[in-house]
Amino acid sequence: MPLRGTVHIADDADSVIAATASWIATCSATAIADHGRFTVALPGGTTPRALYARLTQAPFNDTIEWPLWHVYFGDERACAPTDEASNYNLAQQMLLSKVNISESHVFRMHGEAENLDSAARDYSEMLSTTLPHTHGVPQLDCIILGLGEDGHTASLFPGSPALDVSTPYATTSTAPYPPHPRITLTFPVLNAATNVAFMVVGAQKRNALHLVETDEAPAAQVHGTGTLTWFMDRAAAEQLTAQGHEQPTGK
Ligand code: 6PG
């Protein structure tokens, strides 16, 4: 069956990044107009590097109301916040240190903790106390996600017990590649968000997208009450079931 949500297929990676950045800016402006702030969970992996760089450039650097952003994370590796493997470190180096966001508005997962389970519970508690709730679940305005080649998203890997966790809203998991221990948001939080977007770039993600279409991948479980949008390039979209995809988006 076709992917759930709205699918934007862009010509190349740069166009995926540009389209995602525009989408984030729109989500930010809408949320701020509605309730005076923008709460967003940033993704992990390597694809976000180009997205963060794009957000520090015109027009976004000047048009986004950065002081009203409250930044969370979809997942984190078991490492120090200064480690190059840290998802927080990538965001801090490429975006958070370059725009006007107060440190008090950045809520990182403590991957450096001795007890990762305790750090995950603390993060779940923090989500509950800093966010509004919908149907009893903390609700973010926006969550941006990546897609792994095995169909995982955040650190919700195939076969992981984390896939079945409903509360707490953050838990630990184990990646099949280093750094193995992880903290990750759980599906109820992903599915409570007002807007969710996946960024999928490269031919190596074709099979993962097919697994999502056939409901065989963890990422297929992300379809909540909010909007769901897929930003991908042609290379990744090659095997997708034909459906009314949005036209390719230019840079
Ligand atoms: C992580 C991510 C993970 C990532 C995907 C895609 O911590 O690794 O949260 O879910 O988003 O594996 O990663 P790439 O963007 O590097 O392809």
Side-chain angles (χ1 to χ4, degrees):
M1 63 176 278
L3 288 178
R4 296 178 179 89
T6 303
V7 178
H8 292 275
I9 301 174
D11 286 338
D12 53 34
D14 286 349
S15 302
V16 171
I17 296 300
T20 309
S22 295
W23 178 86
I24 292 168
T26 301
C27 288
S28 172
T30 302
I32 288 167
D34 180 66
H35 48 268
R37 69 173 184 163
F38 178 58
T39 60
V40 56
L42 298 180
T46 59
T47 303
R49 175 181 291 273
L51 174 67
Y52 297 151
R54 188 69 187 86
L55 288 169
T56 65
Q57 297 160 3
F60 309 112
N61 57 330
D62 286 336
T63 55
I64 287 177
E65 293 186 79
W66 298 106
L68 298 178
W69 275 38
H70 291 236
V71 176
Y72 299 76
F73 289 84
D75 69 325
E76 185 55 278
R77 289 87 178 276
C79 61
T82 53
D83 191 307
E84 65 178 22
S86 163
N87 292 330
Y88 161 81
N89 186 50
L90 181 65
Q92 172 63 15
Q93 298 301 321
M94 297 299 293
L95 177 63
L96 303 178
S97 60
K98 298 179 186 301
V99 294
N100 183 19
I101 295 180
S102 160
E103 275 186 32
S104 65
H105 286 186
V106 178
F107 306 94
R108 69 177 185 84
M109 294 173 167
H110 289 189
E112 73 279 16
E114 278 292 303
N115 184 328
L116 221 49
D117 288 310
S118 173
R121 283 193 298 274
D122 289 348
Y123 203 80
S124 178
E125 185 56 34
M126 183 277 298
L127 291 168
S128 282
T129 55
T130 61
L131 291 169
H133 286 218
T134 180
H135 304 298
V137 179
Q139 184 177 37
L140 286 149
D141 292 317
C142 178
I143 300 179
I144 304 144
L145 294 168
L147 179 67
E149 293 183 31
D150 59 2
H152 79 260
T153 192
S155 282
L156 296 163
F157 292 94
S160 168
L163 301 181
D164 301 316
V165 173
S166 49
T167 52
Y169 304 119
T171 191
T172 56
S173 67
T174 304
Y177 51 86
H180 296 285
R182 304 287 183 96
I183 298 175
T184 184
L185 296 184
T186 52
F187 282 121
V189 179
L190 303 187
N191 286 324
T194 307
N195 302 287
V196 176
F198 281 91
M199 283 193 302
V200 188
V201 170
Q204 74 279 15
K205 301 293 177 77
R206 282 177 191 163
N207 186 51
L209 281 170
H210 176 67
L211 291 174
V212 175
E213 281 193 309
T214 57
D215 272 348
E216 294 173 271
Q221 295 181 52
V222 179
H223 52 90
T225 53
T227 71
L228 175 59
T229 307
W230 294 84
F231 294 99
M232 63 184 74
D233 63 356
R234 287 191 184 288
E238 190 80 9
Q239 294 172 349
L240 274 190
T241 309
Q243 64 179 14
H245 299 148
E246 301 276 312
Q247 289 311 309
T249 44
K251 284 188 183 171

